[in-house]
Amino acid sequence: ASDVYKRQEEPLLKNFYTKIAASEEKHYLLFLDLSKEYFDHAVIQPRLNEFLIIEANIIDKLPLRAALH
């Protein structure tokens, strides 16, 4: 589902969703970099995996709709 923007055919929407995806990637990398300042990789990776599983379970239960947080 994370690559939905790549399949968008309408040019304005494709551009919009491409920018949103890039912005979200920056947020992810920022928080990951911050965690590395305080914790060892051995602590970060298992916790990240835990959150990825939790988030995937939440997303699987949500209805498909256009929305931004």
Side-chain angles (χ1 to χ4, degrees):
S2 64
D3 65 347
V4 170
Y5 70 97
K6 293 177 185 175
R7 297 188 308 256
Q8 180 57 245
E9 293 181 15
E10 202 284 309
L12 288 175
L13 284 176
K14 183 171 188 143
N15 183 49
F16 173 75
Y17 285 117
T18 298
K19 288 180 180 178
I20 293 291
S23 177
E24 289 300 317
E25 182 179 10
K26 286 180 188 176
H27 291 148
Y28 162 77
L29 294 174
L30 170 66
F31 288 116
L32 192 56
D33 287 344
L34 285 171
S35 70
K36 291 174 184 176
E37 290 187 27
Y38 297 96
F39 301 99
D40 187 71
H41 179 79
V43 173
I44 296 169
Q45 195 59 51
R47 188 70 168 150
L48 179 59
N49 291 340
E50 182 181 338
F51 276 112
L52 290 173
I53 291 167
I54 291 168
E55 187 175 74
N57 287 330
I58 292 169
I59 290 171
D60 282 343
K61 294 174 185 165
L62 293 175
L64 182 60
R65 64 186 178 92
L68 296 175
H69 63 87

